[in-house]
Amino acid sequence: MQIYTKPEELRRLRHELTLAGKTLAVVPTMGNLHDGHLSLIEKAQSLADLVICTIFVNPSQFGPEEDLDAYPRTPDADLTALRRYHVDGVFTPGVEGMYPPGDETRVTVPALSERHCGAVRPGHFTGVATVVCKFLNMIQADFAVFGEKDFQQLAIIKRMVTDLFIPTEIHGAPTLRADDGLALSSRNAYLTGDERQRAPDLYRQLVLARDRILQGERDFEGLELSAQDALVRSGWRPDYFSVCSQQTLQPASATDTDLVILAAARLGQARLIDNLTLNLKG
Ligand code: PAF
């Protein structure tokens, strides 16, 4: 597995692959790889001849009060996992490499960023869109794969790529869950033993809300409030629980058919996010 740290090396790789008529997929990550990431890699491997991952804990997507310093960093274990998964290369830039002195351009996708995680974490999605835009420009991959667990992030990246004519095809990969339903996430590492037992509550509330909508419930606000109440009663601090249109991420209306229920809530030190999509056609 090749380790790349400089954009020039990526440009050379892209040039060689183009000459050889080969395709390239990228899986951007912040490291601390778990099975969820590995399923993104499998998806990337099904799409392209070569796969590279990025590992970069991106400071610009963390707010001043957030967990940038505490964010789990496991570089040796990550490289071992990537080798085991036959990933062809990994790009591990430093902060100065991604944000050199004088850097000031930022990418913003305002409407899709205004609610949900964007409202609770001001500036977060500008940080994500900016770093992903930099990666896509540097790597010039044919495909990029992101987890559907971060539904809002994926929607924002798809919008950005369309709006900026970035010639990389964006793919989502389904959320991987533990047997009890908890979505795999690096932030699950913050859960204590007792919190880990209670962590599937968030998914259970999503399933309950989804089932009630499928049974004909259209009082979305009522559903949102009862899910939040249930979470509060079991010791969570919900940030949001929202039934939305998949396209706009605005609150769903009775005529929307492609829905997504987005949720984020805090349990102890961990802030967990999850979602479920549902389609009401037919
Ligand atoms: O989802 C993530 O891990 C990050 O937000 C990403 C897309 C790698 C950008 O830093």
Side-chain angles (χ1 to χ4, degrees):
M1 183 175 72
Q2 285 292 326
I3 300 186
Y4 305 100
T5 54
K6 298 194 183 77
E8 308 84 85
E9 297 166 332
L10 296 169
R11 207 149 293 146
R12 209 169 311 126
L13 169 72
R14 176 70 263 186
H15 183 63
E16 285 163 12
L17 289 178
T18 305
L19 289 178
K22 294 203 162 152
T23 54
L24 176 64
V26 61
V27 180
T29 82
M30 297 206 299
N32 191 234
L33 302 178
H34 49 67
D35 288 348
H37 291 109
L38 301 177
S39 80
L40 306 187
I41 291 167
E42 279 174 5
K43 170 104 188 186
Q45 286 169 331
S46 76
L47 290 166
D49 298 312
L50 260 88
V51 172
I52 66 174
C53 285
T54 66
I55 297 183
F56 179 63
V57 182
N58 173 36
S60 76
Q61 69 188 74
F62 289 79
E65 307 295 314
E66 292 185 353
D67 58 343
L68 173 63
D69 292 336
Y71 194 85
R73 289 164 173 86
T74 51
D76 295 340
D78 291 347
L79 293 183
T80 304
L82 294 180
R83 285 196 184 97
R84 203 172 59 239
Y85 271 76
H86 306 292
V87 167
D88 301 285
V90 57
F91 179 48
T92 56
V95 174
E96 284 255 315
M98 295 302 290
Y99 298 99
D103 167 273
E104 62 167 336
T105 303
R106 293 293 173 267
V107 180
T108 303
V109 185
L112 286 172
S113 302
E114 83 182 351
R115 289 170 183 268
H116 320 301
C117 284
V120 181
R121 305 182 66 190
H124 168 67
F125 286 122
T126 295
V128 170
T130 301
V131 83
V132 171
C133 185
K134 285 174 186 255
F135 283 139
L136 297 182
N137 281 333
M138 284 177 186
I139 298 169
Q140 314 234 327
D142 301 278
F143 309 99
V145 182
F146 297 86
E148 287 170 359
K149 183 173 81 66
D150 299 299
F151 191 93
Q152 189 176 14
Q153 167 173 286
L154 180 57
I156 287 167
I157 291 168
K158 284 182 175 165
R159 184 77 255 160
M160 172 190 77
V161 160
T162 302
D163 291 351
L164 299 182
F165 300 96
I166 296 175
T168 301
E169 211 174 279
I170 304 300
H171 288 256
T175 303
L176 220 67
R177 300 184 179 280
D179 289 343
D180 58 9
L182 175 65
L184 299 192
S185 163
S186 301
R187 289 192 167 98
N188 294 350
Y190 298 147
L191 295 166
T192 62
D194 168 60
E195 289 160 0
R196 174 63 191 84
Q197 298 300 310
R198 291 188 285 139
D201 288 348
L202 188 62
Y203 177 62
R204 287 191 199 114
Q205 288 304 323
L206 286 168
V207 172
L208 259 171
R210 180 197 58 194
D211 290 350
R212 289 189 56 194
I213 296 171
L214 290 174
Q215 285 154 14
E217 178 62 78
R218 291 296 177 268
D219 174 10
F220 298 141
E221 243 181 88
L223 279 181
E224 292 166 3
L225 288 176
S226 78
Q228 296 200 34
D229 279 354
L231 288 167
V232 169
R233 278 198 307 275
S234 43
W236 292 71
R237 301 179 313 281
D239 278 347
Y240 58 83
F241 192 101
S242 307
V243 183
C244 304
S245 145
Q246 280 182 33
Q247 280 73 37
T248 63
L249 306 188
Q250 298 290 322
S253 71
T255 54
D256 282 321
T257 52
D258 296 331
L259 304 184
V260 57
I261 314 171
L262 299 171
R266 295 166 202 260
L267 188 58
Q269 297 300 308
R271 178 179 183 275
L272 304 184
I273 70 170
D274 203 347
N275 69 81
L276 275 183
T277 56
L278 63 162
N279 189 298
L280 300 180
K281 268 181 231 138

